[in-house]
Amino acid sequence: MGTRIRNNRATAHPVGRTRRLAAASAAGVISAGALFAVAQLFSAFFGTVSSPLTSVGSAFIDFTPAWLKNFAIATFGTNDKTALLLSMSAVAVVLSALAGVAAWKRYAAGAGLVGALAVVMAACIITRAGATVADLLPLLAGTLAGLAALRFLAGAAPTRSTVPAPGRSGDIGTVRESRRRFLVRSAIVAGAAVVVGLGGSVVSATRNTINHARDALKLPAPRTPAAPLPAGTQSSVTGVGPFVTPNADFYRIDTALVVPQLDPRNWTLRVHGMVENEFTMTFDELLAADLVETYVTLTCVSNEVGGNLAGNAKWLGYPLRAVMARAKPTAGADMVLSTSSDGFSASTPLPVLQDHRDAILAVGMNGEPLPLKHGFPVRMVVPGLYGFVSATKWVVDLEVTTFAAKAGYWTSRGWSSHGPIKTASRVEVPRALARVPAGQVGIGGTAWAQQRGISKVEFQIDGGPWQQAVLAAEASVDTWRQWSYTWEGATAGTHNVRVRAYDADGTLQDERKAPPQPDGSTGWHSITFTVI
Ligand SMILES: Nc1nc2c(c(=O)[nH]1)N[C@H]1C(S)=C(S)[C@@H](COP(=O)(O)O)O[C@H]1N2
Ligand SMILES: [Mo]
């Protein structure tokens, strides 16, 4: 048989060959669909880590070199996960098409390739935080299904001899029949994969009770409520973002491809390391403790000058100061490594969690339990530090240690170990490249210097003299501060606005342009717009 095929190669017509390749590739892709559908269905029972799709994606995120990750965040912003999923799908299609083509020639070759890819996926799964050997079962089931599908489809493949060259003698009946058989089999496998895949998503949706748990949760009132916001925290210029960012609009940055689903009833926080008193806290204990409420502006270190990776919310939570007082750190400790359920970690200087700022284990955000994406049921919020060294979502572990001994997730990937927030300011109105009518033009935006506060914002039109903006009211040194100005009699043409802020110590925002890596961008934001 093998020799006959080989002999026929020379006479095979190009069209026949292209078709065969297309059919073989399709068989591979459909079989991969079967593999992932079955694995997804099983992983609905075993948990997120056991899903090859999410674990391969997450492993990819962790192993991505810093430059590529920075590029992805800079280019796609909070859509970086969609971009990742699309590129992963493209790679999956190519690899499975290859497996299909290999299987066409020799089933064992295709099966070998599938097996090798399964081993890689298994490695991705087993190295995820909290993975056990059982988490490999969905992949195993999926791989068996994929191999069976490949065999089934490859078995129905029109062979070279059944694809006749035009004008040559060939058994047209056999060709038609074999093509029909292949199409029927493909349809069966593809249909089954879709049904199984949909079944998997139904099962995981009904098994996902965390959303219900969150909806049912009633947060206690704070022992120490936030001071009411002073009047006039909002810039008078229309179009400047709201002073308090609604949860739905709050920026989201994390390495979690699938949002961790933590059941508050099983949640515990382990506090250990260089402490006299190790302990574990449950969610009920946390809710029963004296909670405080505080407005804090979170900022991402990846924020570019003028960027929107910052948000301001009213948080409800338990002071980390109290957690540390109970744990009693021993001499020499200088850092707290907080770790999430999915293996992210952040290094926060110990003194920051012991001084009088409102560093908290947050359970509430703007009057609701934390949204799942923002760390339900518990996350850290630490005023004055970028999120990557402080704001651990889905936090489950606090280890008191030293900067010399341990490093957080991003620190071991080329970012700084410390991350105090740098003074920043941006122009939000007019939008860059906006076209606005002549006459009165509102100019405004936001500035921040958490823990220090903003004392002055200045702007410059078309490189002219620096003028002082009107500052909106300050809620606290931990929140951003909006600014505004009304430009009377703006003339037609292209204009430029540049902004800079001073913190409450009177220190001017750094003018030098620096990229986000390793410890936050600097530079003065400027935008160009046209008056028509
Ligand atoms: N578990 C976990 N927590 C995390 C991260 C993460 O990747 N995983 N990213 C951090 C970073 S870099 C930032 S800027 C903030 C963002 O919080 P948000 O998504 O609620 O805005 O979360 C921090 N906490
Ligand atoms: Mo971040």
Side-chain angles (χ1 to χ4, degrees):
M1 178 67 180
T3 39
R4 190 157 70 93
I5 288 176
R6 216 160 275 139
N7 288 343
N8 272 356
R9 182 172 286 169
T11 60
H13 191 272
V15 174
R17 180 146 196 216
T18 314
R19 280 215 191 128
R20 278 199 309 275
L21 276 178
S25 307
V29 174
I30 293 170
S31 304
L35 185 159
F36 287 116
V38 169
Q40 270 322 89
L41 176 62
F42 274 74
S43 73
F45 297 93
F46 286 80
T48 323
V49 187
S50 71
S51 154
L53 289 177
T54 57
S55 278
V56 170
S58 305
F60 186 83
I61 292 179
D62 291 350
F63 287 112
T64 307
W67 64 265
L68 183 55
K69 196 136 36 180
N70 300 345
F71 166 82
I73 292 182
T75 315
F76 306 110
T78 46
N79 289 326
D80 57 342
K81 290 188 187 44
T82 317
L84 169 71
L85 286 175
L86 288 177
S87 19
M88 272 181 33
S89 315
V91 173
V93 164
V94 170
L95 289 176
S96 52
L98 277 180
V101 172
W104 210 273
K105 304 222 154 125
R106 235 165 50 108
Y107 174 71
L113 182 50
V114 173
L117 293 172
V119 168
V120 173
M121 293 193 273
C124 293
I125 292 171
I126 206 70
T127 52
R128 299 313 302 162
T132 62
V133 180
D135 287 315
L136 294 174
L137 289 177
L139 173 66
L140 184 64
T143 306
L144 293 177
L147 288 174
L150 196 59
R151 165 134 251 169
F152 184 57
L153 294 178
T159 58
R160 286 188 171 84
S161 55
T162 58
V163 181
R168 275 176 182 272
S169 67
D171 189 338
I172 300 294
T174 316
V175 173
R176 284 226 183 94
E177 203 165 287
S178 107
R179 189 184 297 158
R180 236 195 82 235
R181 195 174 49 174
F182 177 71
L183 288 177
V184 167
R185 287 193 180 190
S186 300
I188 291 173
V189 176
V194 169
V195 170
V196 170
L198 287 179
S201 31
V202 171
V203 172
S204 30
T206 49
R207 284 179 57 92
N208 170 8
T209 50
I210 305 305
N211 269 314
H212 310 308
R214 178 180 178 273
D215 293 345
L217 190 66
K218 279 215 37 90
L219 293 178
R223 173 72 170 261
T224 317
L229 288 180
T233 52
Q234 184 67 37
S235 163
S236 57
V237 171
T238 1
V240 173
F243 178 76
V244 176
T245 315
N247 290 353
D249 301 336
F250 207 95
Y251 81 96
R252 174 188 170 201
I253 288 286
D254 55 58
T255 60
L257 202 47
V258 170
V259 177
Q261 314 274 320
L262 300 193
D263 188 334
R265 282 163 305 191
N266 304 331
W267 179 88
T268 56
L269 177 74
R270 180 171 170 236
V271 184
H272 64 113
M274 298 173 66
V275 296
E276 281 174 29
N277 181 30
E278 299 202 349
F279 63 93
T280 301
M281 256 185 123
T282 66
F283 192 63
D284 283 342
E285 281 165 356
L286 192 59
L287 292 192
D290 288 346
L291 304 185
V292 302
E293 202 180 41
T294 179
Y295 287 93
V296 176
T297 299
L298 280 193
T299 314
C300 181
V301 69
S302 296
N303 198 45
E304 304 274 351
V305 170
N308 57 7
L309 299 181
N312 183 43
K314 183 172 74 176
W315 307 95
L316 171 73
Y318 182 55
L320 278 151
R321 201 186 315 120
V323 176
M324 287 304 129
R326 181 172 164 197
K328 297 200 173 69
T330 52
D334 65 2
M335 188 262 268
V336 175
L337 190 76
S338 51
T339 305
S340 68
S341 63
D342 65 336
F344 169 87
S345 58
S347 57
T348 310
L350 175 60
V352 164
L353 304 183
Q354 295 176 308
D355 67 19
H356 279 279
R357 77 184 78 197
D358 285 330
I360 56 172
L361 289 170
V363 293
M365 182 177 183
N366 290 329
E368 290 175 23
L370 290 177
L372 266 58
K373 288 176 184 174
H374 294 290
F376 183 81
V378 184
R379 75 171 305 167
M380 304 219 321
V381 170
V382 180
L385 302 186
Y386 288 119
F388 82 115
V389 288
S390 69
T392 305
K393 305 190 272 189
W394 314 290
V395 64
V396 292
D397 189 289
L398 297 182
E399 179 182 359
V400 179
T401 175
T402 64
F403 279 103
K406 296 270 163 89
Y409 183 95
W410 288 110
T411 307
S412 46
R413 288 165 174 80
W415 294 72
S416 171
S417 57
H418 289 65
I421 296 175
K422 299 176 179 174
T423 304
S425 57
R426 67 182 182 206
V427 185
E428 292 171 39
V429 180
R431 305 238 164 263
L433 306 180
R435 299 171 70 79
V436 298
Q440 274 194 351
V441 172
I443 301 179
T446 307
W448 58 79
Q450 290 91 322
Q451 277 289 290
R452 302 181 297 283
I454 293 289
S455 61
K456 185 160 71 170
V457 168
E458 292 176 332
F459 64 94
Q460 187 185 43
I461 299 177
D462 300 334
W466 286 97
Q467 312 182 55
Q468 208 168 317
V470 176
L471 281 182
E474 176 175 76
S476 86
V477 294
D478 293 331
T479 56
W480 56 22
R481 197 157 180 197
Q482 302 197 340
W483 59 274
S484 55
Y485 174 76
T486 307
W487 186 17
E488 309 282 351
T491 50
T494 299
H495 299 285
N496 174 272
V497 175
R498 206 144 80 111
V499 66
R500 65 185 190 188
Y502 295 77
D503 68 15
D505 310 334
T507 308
L508 174 60
Q509 179 186 341
D510 195 344
E511 179 181 6
R512 290 165 300 175
K513 287 199 181 82
Q517 204 174 9
D519 60 359
S521 63
T522 57
W524 295 343
H525 186 217
S526 99
I527 58 113
T528 299
F529 66 100
T530 305
V531 173
I532 48 172

